[in-house]
Every structure is written in C-alpha cells, then in structure tokens.
Amino acid sequence: MDEARSESGAPDEPVLEKISPAYARYVLGVLFFVYVLNFIDRQILSVFVEPIKAEMGATDTEMGLLLGFAFALFYTIAGIPIARWADRGNRRSIIALGLTVWSAMTVLSGFTRSFAQLALVRVGVGVGEAAGSPPAHSLISDYFPPERRATAMGIYAWGIYIGSAIAYLGGGYLREYFDWRTAFIVLGTPGLLFALVVRFTVKEPPRGISEVASGNAERATLGETFRYLASNRSWVWLIAASCFLSLTGYGILMWGYAFFGRVHGMPPVEIGIWMAGIVGIGGSLGTYLGGRLADRLGRAKPSRYMTIPALATLASVPLAAGFLLAEKSETAMISFFFFYILANMYVPSLHTINQNLARLRMRATAAAIVLLIINLVGAGAGPFVVGFLNDYFAPTYGAEAIRYSLLSLACTMVPGALCFYLGGRSLAADLARRDAS
C-alpha cells in the first residue's frame, strides 16, 4: 500500500497495513474525549451567564453575542483553512494542536478583567476548536466503513452532550461554592494534558482505507469541494434542515440553564444536576439511536438516513412546547428529556451523509463547510437571537421573556423536518452519482 503524502510530498505518517477493530474503537474513544473537552470549554460560559452579566454590566443581547458570534464567527472562519490543512496533512497532530490552543484560552478566560477581554479570549477558544471536528470526521471515515459510520459518528457526537453535562454539573457546583474564574481555570486545564495522549497514541491512517478506494485520491480545492457538494440536491436540503435544528439546539443549550433559573427559580446546583442528566443522557441516547437506526435501515434504502431524523424532529415539537410552557419545573424537565432525545437524532445522519457524499480528499473540508454554515446559524445566531428576544420581550413578560424567546426558536423545527424529508427523495441518486464519478 502506498504511503499517504502531504502536498509537499512528505509522508503524513507511516501508514497502517491493517486497522484492528479494537484500535479503531480506541481512536474513536480518544476523539470522543477530545469532543467532550471541546464542549466543556464551549459550554461552561452558559452556566455563568448571570454572574458575568452582573459583574460586567452586560445586557442579554451582549451576553448572546458572547455566547454566540464571539465564538462561532472565528470558529467558522478558522475552520476552512484548518480543514484544508487536514485534507493534506496529519490530522492527528492538527487535533492535538487545536486542543492545546482552546484549552489554554479557556484557562486564560479566568484571568480576564473586562467584557472586551473575555470576548477576545472566546475568539481564541473558537479558533482552537476549529481544529477539532473536521479532521476528526475525516479520521472516523477512514477508521470505520460506510455501513458502520453513522453509529461511529453518533458515538463521537456524544461528546457534545457528555461535555455539556460535565460543564453543567461541575459548573453548577463551582458556581455555588467558588467563582466563575475558578471554573474556567479548573475545567480548561485537563485539555492541556490530554493533547499529549492524542499526539502520541493516535496513528494517521491512509485515506480511504475503510473503503475500496485509493489512498492517493485527487485533491480538490475549497471551491471545487463546495460546488461538488452543492450540486447534490440532498446535500442542500440536508444543510437547510440542519440550520433550522441547530438554531433551536444551540439556543436551548446556551440559555437553558438561565431559563430554569429565571422561570422556575431553581438553585444553581439543582439546575446543574438536572441539565447534566438531561443533556448528557438524553442527547447521547438520541444520537446513538439515530446512528443505529440510520445504519440498520439505511443499508436497504438510503433515503431513510433523512426520513428518520425528519420523523423524530416532527415528534419533538410538541415536547418542546410542553417543556417551555410547563408551570412546574418537574414537568418541564421530563418534557425536556424526551424532547432532547428526539431533537438530536439527526446529528449522526447529518455528518454521515456529508462524509458519504464527499470524495476522499474532500472530507475534512466538507466537514468544515458544514460546520461553518451550521455554527454561524446555530452556535452564532441561536444564542444571539435568544438574547435579543429576551430584551425585546422583557417589558411585557419580565423574567419569563426567555420562555417565549426559546419557544419562538422551537417553531423552526417544523420546516427543518420538512427539509429532511425532501432531501431523502434525492439521496440515493446523489450517492450513486458520486460512486460513478
């Protein structure tokens, strides 16, 4: 087997002649833990919205910018060149470097003394985290064949929910007994150490080793990659659907903690425990079920990769209304749990379809393009729109304004479900066209 080479012609790494299933699972576990650290460092800010807002005299709109665009804008801008690098370089080393950067910036957040300083450091966190998922998606596609890829992507996506759960649980405790600066320092430090594990224990496989494909596939430019993906009707519908869902998902993820404090008057530790269980267990269960169902049912009929999330998303809408409008906190939490399972079943299909449609040397760039679009809409606009609507509704609804802000976003899940359904109608033909080219 030929060596995988960078654009300069130097080998990426001594290649593996054969990948054992046990080692593939190990790599998936390492990448999953990196993603956990990613979301701990990303999510911890949402736990401390109220104390940071009070200390720095910020509005909800300004906090929405801090939670959203301050991170997401530079995350997406940096993501494209980093993904281009990953499509020709050593993906393992890129992930290790990114982990080091975003962990260091999280620690540095604890030493900031103004809103502007904190915003600048959040930009640094976003730049570092841009080196996480695109190369990870590409690695997973090489370690796992297409028929097992959605399940692997679903397990990797657990990092979102486990990381958020740890941020909620640990952050709730630290908020109760310490201050927000201590939380950033404590929760950012482990990533600096784990970067060494990534660098020295994960091997760089040849491109396409999990498929009947050449490891030296032709490289594509950014423009060629985008044009190729956008020429697939199913991909366009996939992106539209995922934008609608991520708008709601990130809005709730970043403002859910504040929602239960403002509307239901729950103490920080109690919110942390509930949110950790719901997001950690519910989100992980949703992505696992979504991945397993997609792998099992999609083999016979590829359109099911999109009809499954369409049905799950539609079923989640009444639960969203129940969670946001319930008068009792217990009722809200139970509805939230089942909503969160269904609302996250689309995640494995999103990333699996994107990787399956992309050609070999497009995969990290394809992942970055998807993350650029979805994070600008979801991670960027979602928290900002909630913050803006909070300030807009506050004169009428007071502390309960956040209830109606989040409900407004939840309505966008209906067109999201429709887009998934429409995309499924052309997916099989688009996959066949890729195989024929």
Side-chain angles (χ1 to χ4, degrees):
M1 185 178 293
D2 293 337
E3 289 182 329
R5 294 179 177 271
S6 67
E7 280 190 340
S8 64
D12 284 346
E13 188 81 2
V15 301
L16 306 174
E17 291 300 329
K18 185 177 180 181
I19 296 174
S20 71
Y23 184 73
R25 290 192 294 270
Y26 169 78
V27 171
L28 180 61
V30 170
L31 296 175
F32 157 74
F33 192 71
V34 171
Y35 209 26
V36 168
L37 295 172
N38 181 306
F39 264 82
I40 291 174
D41 294 352
R42 186 185 306 194
Q43 195 64 30
I44 188 60
L45 183 63
S46 70
V47 177
F48 292 93
V49 165
E50 305 296 359
I52 292 173
K53 178 183 172 183
E55 179 180 327
M56 298 186 175
T59 65
D60 270 3
T61 301
E62 289 170 333
M63 290 305 298
L65 283 169
L66 191 63
L67 289 164
F69 283 119
F71 168 88
L73 183 60
F74 288 89
Y75 176 93
T76 56
I77 290 172
I80 294 296
I82 291 173
R84 298 293 299 147
W85 180 19
D87 270 335
R88 64 178 184 266
N90 190 298
R91 293 164 287 183
R92 178 271 326 275
S93 297
I94 293 169
I95 293 170
L97 178 61
L99 176 56
T100 301
V101 171
W102 86 62
S103 299
M105 289 295 169
T106 301
V107 172
L108 190 59
S109 299
F111 296 95
T112 58
R113 288 294 180 266
S114 70
F115 186 88
Q117 289 177 358
L118 185 56
L120 286 172
V121 172
R122 291 297 291 176
V123 167
V125 173
V127 171
E129 291 193 5
S133 283
H137 287 181
S138 181
L139 280 174
I140 290 169
S141 295
D142 282 334
Y143 275 104
F144 293 89
E147 65 272 14
R148 294 195 292 129
R149 194 169 290 156
T151 300
M153 288 289 187
I155 292 171
Y156 173 73
W158 288 356
I160 300 172
Y161 314 106
I162 302 302
S164 297
I166 293 171
Y168 288 134
L169 193 60
Y173 175 83
L174 291 167
R175 179 174 164 180
E176 185 81 10
Y177 298 105
F178 297 93
D179 62 7
W180 65 271
R181 290 186 172 83
T182 301
F184 279 92
I185 295 168
V186 168
L187 295 176
T189 300
L192 297 172
L193 301 176
F194 197 72
L196 298 174
V197 175
V198 178
R199 174 61 183 82
F200 294 107
T201 69
V202 173
K203 298 176 183 178
E204 178 75 11
R207 316 273 171 164
I209 193 172
S210 68
E211 301 167 62
V212 182
S214 169
N216 290 320
E218 183 180 353
R219 301 178 181 91
T221 66
L222 171 62
E224 289 169 343
T225 300
F226 179 75
R227 286 191 296 272
Y228 172 75
L229 291 171
S231 69
N232 296 285
R233 186 175 298 177
S234 61
W235 188 84
V236 176
W237 285 118
L238 175 73
I239 298 304
S242 301
C243 283
F244 282 121
L245 269 63
S246 67
L247 190 70
T248 303
Y250 277 103
I252 290 173
L253 201 60
M254 288 300 187
W255 285 99
Y257 197 99
F259 167 80
F260 285 106
R262 294 181 188 184
V263 174
H264 295 285
M266 297 169 62
V269 171
E270 186 179 350
I271 298 174
I273 293 170
W274 274 100
M275 290 287 287
I278 290 169
V279 174
I281 298 172
S284 298
L285 185 58
T287 53
Y288 179 75
L289 289 174
R292 290 286 291 178
L293 285 171
D295 274 341
R296 177 167 294 187
L297 301 179
R299 292 173 192 171
K301 193 173 183 181
S303 64
R304 291 171 180 165
Y305 276 96
M306 297 187 82
T307 54
I308 290 168
L311 293 172
T313 298
L314 200 59
S316 74
V317 175
L319 291 166
F323 137 55
L324 294 168
L325 296 176
E327 292 302 321
K328 293 184 178 180
S329 60
E330 293 84 0
T331 304
M333 290 291 188
I334 292 169
S335 298
F336 186 21
F337 177 74
F338 290 105
F339 160 78
Y340 215 70
I341 293 173
L342 293 171
N344 286 282
M345 287 181 67
Y346 82 99
V347 175
S349 287
L350 162 64
H351 297 302
T352 300
I353 293 168
N354 187 53
Q355 291 292 295
N356 287 353
L357 287 172
R359 294 169 179 154
L360 294 183
R361 288 279 178 172
M362 292 180 174
R363 282 178 168 166
T365 303
I369 289 171
V370 164
L371 292 172
L372 182 152
I373 298 169
I374 291 173
N375 278 292
L376 277 178
V377 175
F384 170 73
V385 170
V386 175
F388 174 81
L389 290 176
N390 288 348
D391 288 334
Y392 178 79
F393 289 138
T396 304
Y397 299 107
E400 295 213 348
I402 192 172
R403 189 197 292 269
Y404 302 100
S405 302
L406 292 173
L407 188 61
S408 299
L409 259 66
C411 293
T412 65
M413 299 185 75
V414 175
L418 177 61
C419 290
F420 270 122
Y421 169 76
L422 293 172
R425 297 167 66 180
S426 55
L427 180 58
D430 289 338
L431 289 170
R433 184 167 67 91
R434 185 213 67 173
D435 293 337
S437 61

